Every structure is written in C-alpha cells, then in structure tokens.
Amino acid sequence: GGVIAVNGLADAPGESAAAEGGSFGFARATASAAMTGDNASLSGALGWQRATGIDSFTGHGDKDGYRNLSGRFRGSVTVTPGVELGASALLLTERSEFDGFDPVSFAHTDTLDSSRNRLAAGRAWLKLGNETASWSGQVSASLLGSSNRNDLAGLQQNRTAGSRRNIDAQLEHRFSTGLVAHTVIAAADLEREAFHAHDTIYGGLSDQDRTRDHRALTLEWRGETKALVGDVAVRRDLFNRFKDATSLRASVLASLGGGFAVTGAYAEGIAQPTFFDLYGFFPNNFLGNPSLKPESSRGFEASLRYRRGVIDASLTAYRQRLFDEIVNDATFTSVLNAPGNSRRSGIEATIDWRLGDKLRVSANYAYLQATRPDSVSGRRLTETRRPKHSGSIMLDGASGRFTYGASLAFVGTHLDNRDTYPFARVALGSYWLADARVAYALRPGVEVFVRGANLLNQRYEDVFGYRTEPRAAYVGIRLADRRSSP
C-alpha cells in the first residue's frame, strides 16, 4: 500500500531557491521560505519541473515527456503551553505522456497517449501535551481529492476522480513501574472514500460512482528498560464493503552489550483493493473486478545489529505470507485474487562506516525469494519484477567548500510478462547503475553543482517493453539564506 502524508515538516527559518537543467530537456526550479517565532511557525514552497523525455517504446518514435507544478504550506501556533493548532496543505498538477496500445490491434505501440492529473490535500490538527507529559493526545482531520484525465492524440478517452476524508484521534499515557517505562496508546480512525469514473468513447458503459467507509480501533503497549524494548499492538478494522478483520503486531529489541543487539518481530496486516482494481477502466486494456477481496499478510523478522563507534551494521532475515494477493488475470486486462498464498523470504545486510565529515561509506545487499501460486495450474511461480539479488554501495562527504557523493547499484535478473498475446513470461537482464554528484560553495548561501546519472550508460528495462533513460548529466545552482530561530 501507499500513504500520502499531509502533516508537513517544519522548515529551517529563512529562504532558499534552486534551479537545475540537463539531459532530455530536463529543467527544475524550486523556492521555499519559512519563519518561526516563540509560539508560531509558517512555511511554504513551490516547485516546477519538466522534461521532453525519451521514446520508451523503440527509441526512434515520439518522445514522452512530462511537466508538473507543486506547492505546499504548513503553519502551527502554540495557543498555550502544551496546546498546539496546526494546518498543512499540498497541491500538485501534472501532465505525462506515454506509449500505450493500438486501439485496433491492441498491440503495445508508439502512441500519443497522455494523462493529466491534479491532487490537493489538506490537514488540520490539535495537539495536547507533549512526549514527556504523563498524558497527551491529538485530534486531526484531513481531506484529499484527485482527478485524472486520459487523452489519445488530444482526444479525451476517459476520466476518473476520487476523494478521501479522514478523522483520527489518539490518546497516550506514560507511566513507570520499577525499572520499566510504559506507554499505552489508544487510537481511532474514520475514513470515507469516493471514486468516480466516466468514459467518452464507449458511451458511458464503464461509468462508476462508488463510495466506501473504513473505521479502525488500535490499542498499543510499549515497554522499555535499559536493555530491553518491546511493544504489542492490536488493531480492529471495520469495513462496510468487506469482512471486518483483527490484526496483531509484536516486537522486541534486546541489547547484548558491546554494541550488539538482537530484534524480533511478528506482524499481520490487511489492505483493501484500490477503487481502480475494483471499478477502474482504461481504454482497450483494463477493466476492474468488483469481486475482489482484501489482501492480508503475516510475517516474521529477526535481526542482529551492531552499532559502535564509526560502524553501524545489521543482518536481517524475514519470512512473509500474503493471502488473496491481487494479480493480473490471464489476459492482463483485469485483476483477480490469487489462490493459496504468496511467499516472500529473504536476507538483508547493511553496513555504514563513517570517517568524520570527509567520507561516509554505506553498502547493502538483499536476497529475495518471492513466489505465488499460478491462478490456472496452481503450481508455484516466481513473482515478476522482483530480482533475487540486489544491492548498492554509496559514498558521500565534504571537504572545504566541496561536497560530493557517488553510488553504484546492482539489480539482478528478474521476470516480467508480455502485456500482449501470448502474455508469455520473459527474463529481464541484470544491470549496474552508477551515479555521482559534486557541489562547490562559491560563498555562504551560494552553491553550484553537477551530477550524472546512469554513467555506465546501461541499456535496461524494469518493465518489459519500456525503455529507460541512457547516460545523463545535469547542472544547477542553490541559493539559501538560513537563519537560526529566535
């Protein structure tokens, strides 16, 4: 699942601006400002971005570009000690071009498809108390609205719109018994969603106007001693269109001394199908399935960690089972719940080494086994778009007026499906991606920078049939006037 957070972050006081341009007609500009006082803060920002892009189909057709404009705002005021009122908002409008499907043959081809999207979201909150008080709480309300219009050669094909309204409340109580510090949290959420879809090329046959409600109650306990930290949480989800569900989460972290610690966790979860999964429509290649059930999962995780001096490392093993996974049907024109369960297990290793401000080196590696039952034969299939091996190494640092960084990432071979007949499975090759950046401070508050992407000029696909950008270079400037709070 995905979450859009609209609580916002408080910026450092002052103003800043940046501009950047480079390969494939890319250009970007941003500006932000923030001010703070003893009892109030106010911040906002604007961002603009565009690119002419590349032809993602064959490399020789029309280029598929995009452009977007975004803005954000956040303000808060402390009415009395321990009482805060706040509000935040974000706006986004964008247009993307892409290669779709021929309306006659249904073959993936170099088309003049485009999509226009708009999103607006806002949140207001009231906070009582703080993280050190015995009792604290928060009440908030948010509203998100979005719309999407799909065109082909400038002619509207269909449009969708959606909204989400949330009201949530949380109450926390902190107390101690002996050497154990306790935190008890109770939370309630109320959500209402609406979805609207309208087509113009099929006479409205795919039109949809749907709503659904979701409520949730959560009770959590956290306990902490000098060497041991644990928590247990129980959540009850109540749906008006699906079966209600109860889920559990529990975790523990134990310090072994000498910089070593071990952790373990168990978690259950549930996710509703999206409105587009249920009722969506896209000309010639997708129709939703209103019979879908929510996905649910349960998983275990264990980790050994080391943190001491300049070294921070961890080794984690996990196993997860996903039930009723939502997957493409045999014709890739709709979705269904896979029978049985999907299985994911793997190992992740990370290490971080710091040598003052001059250099920090980080590396990670992931091994993943992900399978699901075939919806027709029932035999287990390797999940698509999930490489078995992946990893990266990164370095960054600063010296004098220079700041710098570089990364090298590896993605192993993985599978995908053809999105047209015969819908066979295909293997996508492994690749390495190298990026680098360097910046120089001309004077305090003025910095110029240059960066490069895909420096090895790898030709690769993450999704079958869709090309990615070759080697690219960008240059820009940053201006900042940051001041400390009064």
Side-chain angles (χ1 to χ4, degrees):
V3 176
I4 295 178
V6 293
N7 54 298
L9 297 175
D11 293 323
E15 300 80 37
S16 68
E20 183 181 9
S23 303
F24 316 117
F26 176 83
R28 174 167 57 193
T30 62
S32 65
M35 61 180 70
T36 61
D38 293 335
N39 299 312
S41 66
L42 185 66
S43 62
L46 290 173
W48 170 82
Q49 189 169 297
R50 70 172 293 276
T52 55
I54 64 171
D55 172 36
S56 63
F57 182 54
T58 64
H60 305 292
D62 75 292
K63 296 179 179 180
D64 300 307
Y66 68 91
R67 63 175 183 264
N68 68 53
L69 178 67
S70 62
R72 60 178 173 86
F73 158 86
R74 185 186 190 276
S76 64
V77 58
T78 302
V79 181
T80 61
V83 179
E84 179 188 278
L85 289 172
S88 62
L90 64 88
L91 300 168
L92 172 68
T93 177
E94 64 97 10
R95 182 180 185 272
S96 300
E97 299 171 346
F98 58 95
D99 291 325
F101 297 82
D102 184 274
V104 177
S105 65
F106 302 106
H108 178 209
T109 188
D110 188 10
T111 62
L112 297 176
D113 280 278
S114 65
S115 179
R116 298 172 184 243
N117 302 287
R118 293 179 179 177
L119 182 145
R123 179 173 177 264
W125 66 85
L126 168 65
K127 289 184 178 179
L128 303 172
N130 55 54
E131 294 181 355
T132 61
S134 174
W135 290 90
S136 63
Q138 176 176 299
V139 179
S140 69
S142 63
L143 172 63
L144 182 147
S146 65
S147 64
N148 180 85
R149 168 179 162 169
N150 295 300
D151 295 343
L152 177 60
L155 298 176
Q156 180 178 313
Q157 305 295 292
N158 75 319
R159 65 183 188 274
T160 61
S163 64
R164 178 183 297 131
R165 294 173 172 83
N166 288 82
I167 298 176
D168 62 83
Q170 180 170 303
L171 181 65
E172 300 184 17
H173 179 45
R174 300 170 185 83
F175 61 97
S176 297
T177 57
L179 299 177
V180 183
H182 304 269
T183 303
V184 178
I185 304 171
D189 300 270
L190 175 61
E191 177 182 83
R192 183 172 179 81
E193 295 177 288
F195 174 79
H196 312 281
H198 306 281
D199 76 72
T200 57
I201 60 174
Y202 296 115
L205 293 177
S206 69
D207 287 3
Q208 298 283 344
D209 289 284
R210 304 280 182 169
T211 61
R212 68 183 182 194
D213 297 326
H214 172 217
R215 293 165 291 166
L217 299 172
T218 305
L219 183 62
E220 180 178 1
W221 167 85
R222 299 175 187 171
E224 182 174 356
T225 67
K226 186 176 181 180
L228 196 67
V229 179
D231 80 315
V232 178
V234 179
R235 177 184 172 102
R236 179 67 172 174
D237 288 280
L238 303 102
F239 307 102
N240 71 328
R241 296 190 179 274
F242 302 105
K243 184 179 179 181
D244 297 343
T246 300
S247 53
L248 171 71
R249 188 193 76 232
S251 67
V252 63
L253 181 150
S255 176
L256 304 179
F260 287 96
V262 293
T263 70
Y266 170 79
E268 300 170 342
I270 187 168
Q272 297 183 82
T274 67
F275 274 116
F276 199 82
D277 286 335
L278 292 164
Y279 314 114
F281 170 73
F282 202 84
N284 303 326
N285 71 335
F286 185 83
L287 184 64
N289 178 4
S291 300
L292 290 174
K293 297 185 293 185
E295 296 177 329
S296 61
S297 68
R298 63 171 182 259
F300 301 87
E301 172 182 300
S303 179
L304 174 65
R305 303 179 184 180
Y306 177 78
R307 180 178 295 176
R308 191 171 188 178
V310 298
I311 302 294
D312 190 346
S314 67
L315 180 64
T316 303
Y318 63 90
R319 175 182 171 181
Q320 185 185 52
R321 294 293 181 264
L322 178 62
F323 303 91
D324 297 312
E325 182 183 5
I326 297 173
V327 299
N328 292 313
D329 66 5
T331 64
F332 287 81
T333 58
S334 190
V335 288
L336 50 78
N337 291 110
N341 63 77
S342 301
R343 303 172 184 173
R344 288 90 185 266
S345 59
I347 297 173
E348 295 180 353
T350 67
I351 186 168
D352 188 281
W353 176 71
R354 297 175 299 282
L355 183 61
D357 294 330
K358 292 185 180 298
L359 186 64
R360 180 182 64 177
V361 180
S362 302
N364 64 76
Y365 167 75
Y367 172 82
L368 169 66
Q369 284 275 19
T371 63
R372 68 171 179 85
D374 181 69
S375 58
V376 178
S377 65
R379 65 187 180 91
R380 302 210 67 84
L381 301 175
T382 299
E383 291 264 25
T384 58
R385 303 180 188 174
R386 290 175 173 83
K388 182 176 291 187
H389 303 280
S390 62
S392 67
I393 183 169
M394 298 157 283
L395 62 88
D396 62 86
S399 179
R401 294 190 176 191
F402 286 96
T403 57
Y404 38 81
S407 66
L408 181 64
F410 172 75
V411 177
T413 56
H414 53 287
L415 300 175
D416 203 358
N417 289 298
R418 292 181 180 273
D419 50 15
T420 56
Y421 185 81
F423 308 110
R425 287 201 153 199
V426 293
L428 302 180
S430 61
Y431 59 88
W432 293 85
L433 285 182
D435 299 334
R437 59 179 174 83
V438 62
Y440 179 76
L442 298 175
R443 60 182 180 84
V446 180
E447 181 184 76
V448 293
F449 63 91
V450 61
R451 64 183 178 94
N454 191 9
L455 295 176
L456 301 178
N457 204 30
Q458 296 280 280
R459 306 291 181 175
Y460 66 98
E461 294 180 351
D462 284 320
V463 178
F464 176 75
Y466 291 88
R467 295 163 50 90
T468 50
E469 292 181 347
R471 184 186 293 120
Y474 308 91
V475 63
I477 185 171
R478 295 189 186 96
L479 308 174
D481 178 19
R482 295 303 189 190
R483 301 178 294 275
S484 60
S485 301

